[in-house]
Amino acid sequence: MAAAVAARGASGGGLDKQAMDAGKYVRYTPEQVEALERVYAECPKPSSIRRQQLIRECPILSNIEPKQIKVWFQNRRCRDKQRKEASRLQAVNRKLTAMNKLLMEENERLQKQVSQLVHENAYMRQQLQKASLANDTSCESVVTTPQNSLRHASNPAGLPSIAEETLAEFLSKATGTAVDWVQLPGMKPGPDSVGIVAISHGCNGVAARACGLVNLEPTKIVEILKDRPSWFRDCRSLEVFTMFPAGNGGTIELVYMQMYAPTTLAPARDFWTLRYTTSLEDGSLVVCERSLSGSGGGPNAASAHQFVRAEMLPSGYLIRPCDGGGSIVHIVDHLDLEAWSVPEVLRPLYESSRVVAQKMTTAALRYIRQVALEMSGEVVYALGRQPAVLRTFSQRLSRGFNDAINGFNDDGWSLMDSDGVEDIVIATNSTKKIRTDANSANAFSVTGGVICARASMLLQSVPPALLVRFLREHRSEWADYNMDAYCAATLKASSCSFPALRPTRFPGSQIIMSLGHTVENEEILEVVRLEDQAITQDEAASPRDVHLLQLCCGIDENAVGSCFQLVFAPIDEHFPDDAPLISSGFRVIPLDTKDAITSTRTLDLASSLEVGNATQRTSTEKSPCDYSLRSVLTIAFQFPYEMHLQESIAATARQYVRSIVSAVQRVAMAIAPSRPGSDVGQKLLPGSPEASTLAHWICQSYHYHLGLELLRCSDEAGDSLLNMLWHHQDAILCCSFKVQPVFSFANQAGLDMLETSLVALQDISLDKIFDEPERKALYAEFAKLMEQGYVYLPAGVCLSGMGRHVSYEQAIAWKVLSEDNNVHCLAFCFVNWSFV
């Protein structure tokens, strides 16, 4: 008896109250609990057949009825869920506690700043009353950096004093009032936010500050942040020139860093800095940095003509241990990017503190938060890939694209002669290696290389996120499948072949599979499969499916960023970790950084119903900033070649990128919002309603057939109703009313259930998601569906687009009627679905 009672305290054991005849308690022995726990670890929700099989296979369970075992598993799942919820609430509580501490510190800083401003105001009044000089130097506001901010490194004995001065100035910015900080518009602090982000107001240069809680130890955070190329995508290289110890166990380093230019219209930047790492008396770790004098300083001075020397004012990281684990991280970036050296139209990029905050400051905080989540096991990626491997792929894609845009001479790039028109720049690199084989770790051809065709263009009134999403979801509008197939073939063929050997056509379909994404969806890594559309029997026997590794940035509606891009590279279907990547793609950078531009248009919903032009909004739905939004689009495409085909590939590349530029211009005109007063109204997509109209039909038909409301507030209309349907907790899908039904629409839960995207959804038919028994059950109820307009389907299992089993408690099917009462499509609602 004692053993049975003791078992109650064991994991998953104890007394389970049975909802049975006499409401008795059932006692499990430790051996029975162990057997049940083993099964639970493999399958937390076994079927009735599996439970009966368990009783037969385990003699120790022979005295327990199947219903009792079912209740045990129910209670075990409930306890598991409670433990997870308790753990989640504890994590949220720690975040709120740390956030409260940060807000209190921020409040204290603001109070000090108010006190200082009051004092300065009183002083200025006193000076005015004395009729002193209007420009008295004593009335000047706080200067964050001494006038002569650049220091020489020729005398190492003076470096410790420079380091201590840099530390003091950095701390005055991170926790003091040396800079007038204002909250970054659109960033709201909270337990799920990246942190508290602020930008400078009225100081020299551009500056940004962020602070937040990260579940990592301070030493690990310092290690990550000092490795700037791993998280800062614009950092080309960082080299420590020399290092020597300082007091308090700290170190002083002389660092040379190069930054990529974001577009072909501006030169790159480099920095020559002193970096000081030390610890404070309270146990906090500090890494602070500032520029040193000397335009030729640094180990790579030979390539300095391609760079503009920028200045880093006292900046750095303050990492403080947090009670209960983790760290509170303060980040300050203060730069002078020498805006005079770029064309006037691009100067907002170099004069905006918002851009620094989004590209550099919050990028650092997001990266260490991402690493913390991955190390805790909270992030699981597709294909069983390790997080570090996928991060490396993302970094390599981005670095390859930046290399193509900048074309540095020390990387082997050189310009080719133009054809008389300066719209497309052609560069060649005969030293770039792209193919791996058994004989060499990285060998392509002794007589070949890579050609890059790049161009930049200004866009007016085109929301960047909308344009990038369109380019991603409608590849057939701008891409040539033959060029993709050619680049993919060079990865495995013994020699390159001229691309224009077969008729140009678009692939039969585009299937997008997500590999992983960052915490706030600002970056998405995915694999795209382009299916070959065979023309002849010989082609059908050997299809040329193309696989692309693709990185998307800024396409999520809620993502906040200063750069929107789509970068891809052909990859072998086996997807090896060391696969060579030749990056190509698009980058859109907003130039009007003072405006918080967030696209609220529903292209992702409306365009998924039928491929066509983007849906236009009425003039009352547009914000004034849509009409003046300016951005710069940079395009760079790379093509491998062999020496005897260099001129042919260069001519083909130039013509291909010109066709892409023309296609993008057409797309930009189509998706640009109409100006107020124009006669362009809200148009319907060919053969299909707009997304808001379809949402109205779905809800209206559900009420008509079932007499119930699908949504809580079904009297809503337009985008409000569409938004409610999109975020509905149950999976809602629509398929065409044809002989072979194909899905045309799904809400977010439906896409999650099918593990697909809105574009790839159109490649999934109704038959594909049901196995034979479920199809028979559906067909048996089809006549009833046609007669009464709806039907309830019992609990069952379907398949996702990735082939995983999905269970659901109930499914409801109904006919969706249009305004003229004709059947437009069939709708399905899967209630309480989960992956098996």
Side-chain angles (χ1 to χ4, degrees):
M1 178 64 70
V5 174
R8 181 177 184 179
S11 176
L15 301 179
D16 286 306
K17 188 174 182 179
Q18 310 298 316
M20 301 181 66
D21 299 336
K24 295 181 179 180
Y25 291 90
V26 176
R27 298 180 183 274
Y28 296 95
T29 66
E31 292 77 11
Q32 290 174 332
V33 171
E34 183 180 356
L36 292 172
E37 285 289 346
R38 284 198 301 267
V39 176
Y40 182 83
E42 298 175 358
C43 180
K45 194 175 181 179
S47 62
S48 59
I49 297 176
R50 180 70 180 93
R51 292 194 298 270
Q52 292 174 1
Q53 180 185 0
L54 175 63
I55 294 175
R56 291 194 302 269
E57 293 178 352
C58 297
I60 59 175
L61 299 175
S62 59
N63 63 329
I64 302 177
E65 296 182 8
K67 190 171 183 179
Q68 294 173 331
I69 291 182
K70 177 181 179 181
V71 174
W72 186 93
F73 276 98
Q74 289 175 345
N75 293 339
R76 181 66 176 82
R77 289 195 300 270
C78 182
R79 285 191 293 272
D80 204 13
K81 184 177 180 180
Q82 289 174 345
R83 282 196 295 268
K84 291 180 180 178
E85 180 65 12
S87 177
R88 187 188 69 82
L89 291 176
Q90 289 174 358
V92 171
N93 182 61
R94 287 197 301 270
K95 289 182 180 179
L96 290 173
T97 302
M99 191 64 64
N100 180 61
K101 184 177 180 180
L102 290 175
L103 290 174
M104 291 177 63
E105 292 176 352
E106 181 70 5
N107 182 57
E108 183 180 355
R109 185 191 68 82
L110 291 174
Q111 289 178 350
K112 290 181 180 179
Q113 188 172 3
V114 169
S115 177
Q116 180 179 346
L117 291 174
V118 170
H119 176 74
E120 290 181 357
N121 184 51
Y123 181 73
M124 292 180 68
R125 285 178 180 272
Q126 182 181 5
Q127 293 298 314
L128 288 174
Q129 291 174 356
K130 293 180 178 180
S132 62
L133 294 176
N135 295 326
D136 195 317
T137 57
S138 63
C139 299
E140 293 181 357
S141 58
V142 177
V143 178
T144 61
T145 305
Q147 188 71 24
N148 184 21
S149 59
L150 295 178
R151 307 303 176 91
H152 286 276
S154 57
N155 181 16
L159 294 182
S161 62
I162 298 176
E164 291 297 331
E165 182 181 337
T166 303
L167 174 63
E169 292 190 38
F170 160 68
L171 291 177
S172 68
K173 297 175 184 179
T175 60
T177 59
V179 172
D180 184 10
W181 299 109
V182 295
Q183 182 174 316
L184 178 66
M187 298 293 290
K188 297 181 180 180
D192 296 324
S193 67
V194 66
I196 302 174
V197 184
I199 56 178
S200 62
H201 176 69
C203 74
N204 294 331
V206 289
R209 187 186 70 170
C211 52
L213 174 67
V214 179
N215 193 24
L216 286 175
E217 294 301 316
T219 53
K220 180 63 177 179
I221 295 175
V222 168
E223 177 187 344
I224 294 174
L225 292 178
K226 291 180 72 172
D227 184 17
R228 192 174 276 133
S230 67
W231 57 264
F232 185 30
R233 295 297 169 81
D234 284 356
C235 181
R236 184 196 181 207
S237 64
L238 186 146
E239 185 173 352
V240 178
F241 191 67
T242 186
M243 179 177 64
F244 53 89
N248 298 325
T251 58
I252 295 177
E253 302 165 297
L254 301 185
V255 178
Y256 178 68
M257 182 180 71
Q258 294 179 344
M259 282 177 54
Y260 290 109
T263 174
T264 61
L265 303 177
R269 263 59 181 161
D270 66 351
F271 296 84
W272 175 233
T273 63
L274 176 145
R275 185 168 69 184
Y276 180 35
T277 305
T278 187
S279 58
L280 304 181
E281 293 181 356
D282 61 357
S284 301
L285 296 181
V286 178
V287 180
C288 54
E289 193 170 4
R290 80 180 309 160
S291 285
L292 296 171
S293 64
S295 59
N300 296 324
S303 60
H305 68 281
Q306 286 190 282
F307 294 87
V308 171
R309 178 58 54 87
E311 179 184 358
M312 180 181 294
L313 290 81
S315 307
Y317 319 108
L318 169 63
I319 302 98
R320 298 156 54 186
C322 186
D323 296 337
S327 307
I328 296 178
V329 182
H330 298 256
I331 301 176
V332 173
D333 292 305
H334 194 173
L335 308 172
D336 183 351
L337 296 174
E338 305 294 340
W340 59 266
S341 63
V342 301
E344 185 174 356
V345 69
L346 295 181
R347 288 181 186 175
L349 296 179
Y350 296 82
E351 297 174 340
S352 170
S353 294
R354 177 196 298 273
V355 173
V356 173
Q358 293 170 341
K359 294 182 66 175
M360 195 170 183
T361 314
T362 58
L365 200 53
R366 286 192 178 103
Y367 184 82
I368 54 180
R369 287 186 65 203
Q370 181 78 22
V371 173
L373 289 174
E374 292 170 354
M375 293 180 65
S376 67
E378 296 183 35
V379 181
V380 179
Y381 292 119
L383 300 181
R385 296 283 176 172
Q386 293 296 322
V389 174
L390 295 182
R391 282 204 308 271
T392 300
F393 272 124
S394 299
Q395 292 164 3
R396 290 174 57 198
L397 278 173
S398 182
R399 176 174 290 274
F401 187 57
N402 278 321
D403 285 336
I405 290 174
N406 286 263
F408 294 114
N409 293 339
D410 56 356
D411 280 341
W413 290 100
S414 59
L415 297 180
M416 297 183 66
D417 295 336
S418 69
D419 60 352
V421 183
E422 301 296 334
D423 57 340
I424 307 297
V425 176
I426 302 294
T428 180
N429 190 335
S430 60
T431 65
K432 195 163 186 177
K433 314 299 181 184
I434 70 163
R435 187 186 301 131
T436 59
D437 54 36
N439 298 326
S440 174
N442 193 14
F444 169 61
S445 171
V446 294
T447 60
V450 175
I451 283 176
C452 177
R454 55 180 183 258
S456 292
M457 56 188 292
L458 295 176
L459 300 176
Q460 184 81 14
S461 305
V462 180
L466 193 64
L467 176 59
V468 173
R469 287 204 307 273
F470 188 95
L471 295 172
R472 171 180 177 261
E473 298 174 3
H474 302 281
R475 190 179 183 87
S476 60
E477 295 292 330
W478 56 267
D480 184 339
Y481 176 74
N482 268 340
M483 301 302 291
D484 292 324
Y486 162 76
C487 293
T490 59
L491 297 176
K492 47 190 174 183
S494 58
S495 63
C496 300
S497 58
F498 190 68
L501 294 179
R502 297 170 64 179
T504 299
R505 64 189 183 281
F506 296 120
S509 64
Q510 171 183 270
I511 300 176
I512 301 177
M513 182 183 69
S514 176
L515 291 177
H517 57 80
T518 51
V519 177
E520 299 182 8
N521 291 321
E522 66 274 6
E523 284 190 359
I524 301 174
L525 184 66
E526 55 197 14
V527 171
V528 181
R529 180 159 67 93
L530 307 177
E531 293 184 339
D532 186 20
Q533 191 176 41
I535 295 179
T536 65
Q537 292 183 351
D538 293 339
E539 293 178 3
S542 57
R544 299 189 306 166
D545 289 356
V546 174
H547 294 80
L548 304 175
L549 185 65
Q550 186 165 271
L551 179 66
C552 311
C553 302
I555 64 172
D556 186 84
E557 286 289 349
N558 299 319
V560 178
S562 60
C563 180
F564 305 81
Q565 66 181 19
L566 180 71
V567 180
F568 50 86
I571 194 169
D572 186 84
E573 59 184 324
H574 300 297
F575 196 14
D577 293 348
D578 60 347
L581 300 177
I582 302 296
S583 302
S584 302
F586 308 86
R587 174 180 291 160
V588 188
I589 305 175
L591 296 177
D592 300 300
T593 56
K594 62 181 179 298
D595 296 326
I597 306 298
T598 301
S599 173
T600 59
R601 300 170 63 183
T602 56
L603 174 71
D604 52 343
L605 298 180
S607 64
S608 67
L609 301 177
E610 191 94 18
V611 176
N613 293 333
T615 305
Q616 301 290 335
R617 293 181 297 173
T618 59
S619 59
T620 58
E621 294 175 303
K622 303 175 182 64
S623 61
C625 60
D626 282 340
Y627 312 116
S628 60
L629 172 64
R630 297 180 305 163
S631 56
V632 56
L633 168 66
T634 300
I635 303 173
F637 278 71
Q638 299 189 75
F639 308 90
Y641 71 91
E642 291 216 339
M643 189 57 68
H644 66 285
L645 293 175
Q646 182 181 20
E647 294 298 328
S648 299
I649 299 298
T652 302
R654 180 181 284 110
Q655 192 62 35
Y656 181 46
V657 173
R658 278 179 181 157
S659 70
I660 292 175
V661 170
S662 300
V664 171
Q665 289 173 337
R666 292 193 303 270
V667 170
M669 292 180 62
I671 67 177
S674 303
R675 293 181 177 275
S678 67
D679 297 330
V680 180
Q682 198 169 20
K683 301 178 181 179
L684 295 178
L685 295 171
S688 177
E690 292 186 1
S692 58
T693 304
L694 179 61
H696 173 69
W697 289 354
I698 292 173
C699 298
Q700 180 179 266
S701 300
Y702 186 89
H703 177 73
Y704 174 77
H705 292 304
L706 284 81
L708 303 172
E709 299 295 345
L710 178 62
L711 304 176
R712 293 180 180 177
C713 301
S714 59
D715 56 342
E716 297 286 345
D719 289 342
S720 177
L721 185 67
L722 174 62
N723 186 60
M724 293 170 60
L725 183 69
W726 178 253
H727 294 288
H728 195 276
Q729 61 181 359
D730 295 327
I732 299 175
L733 303 100
C734 292
C735 66
S736 57
F737 189 64
K738 299 178 181 179
V739 177
Q740 292 184 340
V742 175
F743 288 108
S744 58
F745 170 80
N747 65 351
Q748 184 62 65
L751 295 178
D752 294 341
M753 186 185 79
L754 295 183
E755 295 185 293
T756 187
S757 66
L758 281 164
V759 174
L761 180 69
Q762 301 180 47
D763 299 321
I764 301 177
S765 64
L766 186 62
D767 289 344
K768 286 184 178 180
I769 72 167
F770 289 120
D771 55 17
E772 190 64 27
E774 304 298 335
R775 278 199 297 268
K776 289 181 179 180
L778 176 62
Y779 294 156
E781 299 288 342
F782 194 78
K784 184 178 179 181
L785 172 63
M786 292 296 100
E787 180 180 351
Q788 69 179 21
Y790 73 95
V791 66
Y792 285 97
L793 301 175
V797 177
C798 64
L799 298 175
S800 73
M802 301 300 297
R804 288 210 289 172
H805 287 83
V806 182
S807 65
Y808 54 89
E809 291 186 3
Q810 187 186 56
I812 308 170
W814 70 97
K815 295 188 294 186
V816 177
L817 305 178
S818 60
E819 296 294 345
D820 53 6
N821 286 329
N822 291 325
V823 180
H824 176 263
C825 61
L826 296 179
F828 292 84
C829 179
F830 295 87
V831 181
N832 293 337
W833 62 272
S834 62
F835 291 107
V836 179

